[in-house]
Amino acid sequence: MTWSNWSGLEHATPSRVVAPASAEEIAAQVVAARAAGTTVKFTGTGHSFTGIASPGRGVQLLPIALTGITAVDREAMTVTAYAGMRLKDLNAALAGLGLSLHNMGDIAEQTLAGAVSTGTHGTGGVMAGLAAQLAGFTLVTGTGEILACSPDVNADVFDLARVGLGALGILVTVTFRVEPLFALEAVEEPMSWEEFHASFDDLAAGANHVDAYWFPHTDRLLTKRNSRLASLDEIEPLSRARAWFDDDFLQNTAFGALTAAANLAPGVIPRMNQMNASLLSARTYSDIAHRVFTTQRRVVFREMEYAVPRADGLAVLRECRRLLDRSDLRISFPVEIRVAPADDVALSTAYQRDSFYLAFHTHRAAEHRAYFALMEPVLRAAEGRPHWGKLHTLDSTALASSYPRFTDVLALRDRLDPDRVFANDYLRRVLGP
Ligand SMILES: Cc1cc2nc3c(=O)[nH]c(=O)nc-3n(C[C@H](O)[C@H](O)[C@H](O)COP(=O)(O)OP(=O)(O)OC[C@H]3O[C@@H](n4cnc5c(N)ncnc54)[C@H](O)[C@@H]3O)c2cc1C
């Protein structure tokens, strides 16, 4: 029985694999592992690029029996679900109830706990990160205690453990603040580098959610602006044929084949990126929110993403481009650009800081290390914070200087997991022993 992550970079052979169905079953596994001096790792769908979810040689807990909505509170506008539920299943269930999350990232394959625990975020809005949308959770600690946490109960744990990296306990349920189901209109528009730089602040101010993709070695970007519609009756989704052609065939099948072929002859990449960028056309469509926020990603890639201060973002992007242009690297995947408002989640990349995200990708068969190593010092020099689930090289010393409440989190870890039942190599690197 081996575990591996989506990108194929991480592998482990756990000693045992169990699918607990309740807080009590999870607590029993934790207590047993602690007594045996081994570790327990609750894994999601393995969509983190880092080894954050690796069970090592310890016990792996699967999310498959811990799914479904457990409570809907229409007065408080909150929904509670088991933490192993997939985001796409929650989205569908919420839509059936006439409800929606406020914001999300660009896929919905992840488990709720996995996405929340690594600080998964979308772009724009009032809260971009899923953890900032939490109203509470239930946690099994490293001593097997079951804690209900919210701003009113165990508030210190709620405060610090929303992005918990799987290091502070196992989430059993999560409670999200939700809102009535809403529709988004997406306007996708190719732009030149100059036009993008001149208009980015207006684009971000004029739409609820702005996303952009720069094609390396070109002057071209694709921008996507999502804005709320007044009514669900106004939606005009893409036809099935257009959605299949654009989102499935072009963005997955054709893009996957082209980028795989380009690995064999990297010299063609600049021309290929020019061609890909010139094939982009403007389009406008609308749909219920989660269908606009999320897409399918079938081409497997590697990714590093950093959040830098919002005000410095465009200058950092320009510096990244300058370095890439001077190098002999050839990069076939676009650089994704997003923004997020500051939040109050201690280990969120947007903690107390309006943020500008830069995400760098390579095809899974391409060499990502030299590219990421070239970009990472620029991002660090700009006080960048790396996404916990995406590739980076920082250790606990470097991260401590990035997060004002880092030592509070470490103290909570000592309290909730004194024997490091939840530890693995990644957590030892980013949090310390
Ligand atoms: C194609 C792709 C697209 C992505 N898009 C985005 C995006 O738009 N925005 C963004 O921010 N990120 C994005 N990510 C990153 C992704 O959202 C995170 O890495 C997320 O953690 C993956 O969730 P998962 O269920 O796969 O968790 P895993 O990777 O399996 O686990 C992540 C962490 O969560 C912990 N965990 C899992 N379950 C529990 C539990 N019950 N209790 C406590 N801890 C738990 C694990 O132990 C581990 O520490 C993307 C990743 C991929 C591969």
Side-chain angles (χ1 to χ4, degrees):
M1 275 177 299
T2 55
W3 168 89
S4 56
N5 66 347
W6 181 84
S7 73
L9 271 178
E10 295 286 337
H11 303 271
T13 308
S15 57
R16 223 150 41 84
V17 180
V18 184
S22 66
E24 291 70 24
E25 286 181 29
I26 293 172
Q29 291 295 335
V30 171
V31 169
R34 187 177 181 218
T38 185
T39 59
V40 175
K41 188 55 62 184
F42 202 105
T43 53
T45 57
H47 277 70
S48 296
F49 297 85
T50 58
I52 190 168
S54 175
R57 294 208 188 89
V59 178
Q60 179 186 3
L61 302 185
L62 296 174
I64 48 177
L66 207 66
T67 72
I69 288 183
T70 63
V72 178
D73 184 337
R74 287 188 184 270
E75 210 166 301
M77 285 302 275
T78 59
V79 166
T80 302
Y82 277 120
M85 190 175 191
R86 284 185 171 214
L87 193 50
K88 64 182 177 188
D89 297 329
L90 179 70
N91 284 335
L94 287 180
L97 293 163
L99 299 170
S100 177
L101 292 176
H102 171 74
N103 202 344
M104 63 197 72
D106 50 24
I107 62 159
E109 299 299 315
Q110 314 94 315
T111 59
L112 304 179
V116 162
S117 299
T118 57
T120 294
H121 63 91
T123 185
V126 184
M127 291 161 289
L130 286 169
Q133 299 171 55
L134 281 182
F137 52 78
T138 319
L139 187 78
V140 175
T141 71
T143 56
E145 218 184 326
I146 301 171
L147 294 182
C149 304
S150 71
D152 305 316
V153 183
N154 291 311
D156 54 337
V157 181
F158 176 79
D159 189 28
L160 294 169
R162 283 173 286 173
V163 171
L165 316 183
L168 303 175
I170 295 177
L171 294 165
V172 183
T173 61
V174 285
T175 300
F176 286 106
R177 288 194 294 273
V178 294
E179 58 178 297
L181 186 63
F182 61 97
L184 287 173
E185 181 184 67
V187 178
E188 294 178 9
E189 192 183 358
M191 255 179 211
S192 72
W193 178 263
E194 289 72 23
E195 207 185 341
F196 174 75
H197 278 76
S199 60
F200 182 72
D201 289 333
D202 291 339
L203 294 177
N208 296 111
H209 311 273
V210 171
D211 211 345
Y213 298 86
W214 169 56
F215 290 77
H217 320 295
T218 80
D219 273 317
R220 307 297 298 169
L221 294 100
L222 177 69
T223 59
K224 180 173 174 182
R225 281 120 64 195
N226 297 335
S227 300
R228 286 173 178 242
L229 292 178
S231 149
L232 291 172
D233 299 334
E234 294 176 35
I235 64 172
E236 290 180 26
L238 292 172
S239 69
R240 277 181 154 231
R242 176 89 199 258
W244 172 81
F245 184 74
D246 287 2
D247 300 336
D248 197 44
F249 180 73
L250 282 184
Q251 286 184 30
N252 282 300
T253 313
F255 183 68
L258 275 177
T259 47
N263 292 330
L264 306 173
V268 305
I269 287 175
R271 263 182 296 136
M272 185 187 81
N273 287 3
Q274 284 288 1
M275 187 189 76
N276 284 344
S278 64
L279 281 177
L280 299 168
S281 55
R283 63 175 189 169
T284 301
Y285 61 93
S286 51
D287 211 328
I288 58 172
H290 74 87
R291 292 199 203 120
V292 174
F293 282 133
T294 65
T295 53
Q296 295 262 2
R297 293 288 161 87
R298 287 192 286 103
V299 185
V300 177
F301 55 85
R302 311 266 155 84
E303 181 174 351
M304 173 178 76
E305 183 181 48
Y306 267 75
V308 300
R310 167 75 173 79
D312 303 333
L314 288 175
V316 175
L317 173 65
R318 284 194 292 275
E319 177 61 7
C320 289
R321 177 177 181 175
R322 197 183 66 80
L323 284 183
L324 185 57
D325 285 349
R326 278 181 14 184
S327 78
D328 54 10
L329 295 171
R330 296 291 174 263
I331 306 301
S332 58
F333 272 61
V335 174
E336 187 176 10
I337 297 147
R338 294 184 275 191
V339 290
D343 64 38
D344 68 349
V345 180
L347 291 187
S348 161
T349 44
Y351 180 67
Q352 288 190 339
R353 191 165 92 175
D354 289 344
S355 298
F356 185 102
Y357 288 90
L358 288 143
F360 304 86
H361 312 77
T362 63
H363 187 275
R364 74 164 183 275
E367 172 51 50
H368 64 274
R369 286 179 188 80
Y371 178 36
F372 295 175
L374 184 68
M375 298 297 131
E376 198 172 18
V378 181
L379 303 162
R380 278 303 286 164
E383 297 179 8
R385 295 169 176 159
H387 190 302
W388 297 101
K390 301 185 183 180
L391 299 170
H392 68 92
T393 63
L394 302 194
D395 61 13
S396 56
T397 310
L399 288 158
S401 66
S402 300
Y403 287 97
R405 301 202 63 194
F406 202 74
T407 49
D408 295 341
V409 174
L410 296 188
L412 186 66
R413 184 185 186 212
D414 286 342
R415 195 176 108 205
L416 298 183
D417 186 20
D419 297 325
R420 302 295 190 255
V421 178
F422 304 127
N424 62 16
D425 287 346
Y426 179 83
L427 292 181
R428 277 186 282 273
R429 189 185 104 208
V430 299
L431 296 179

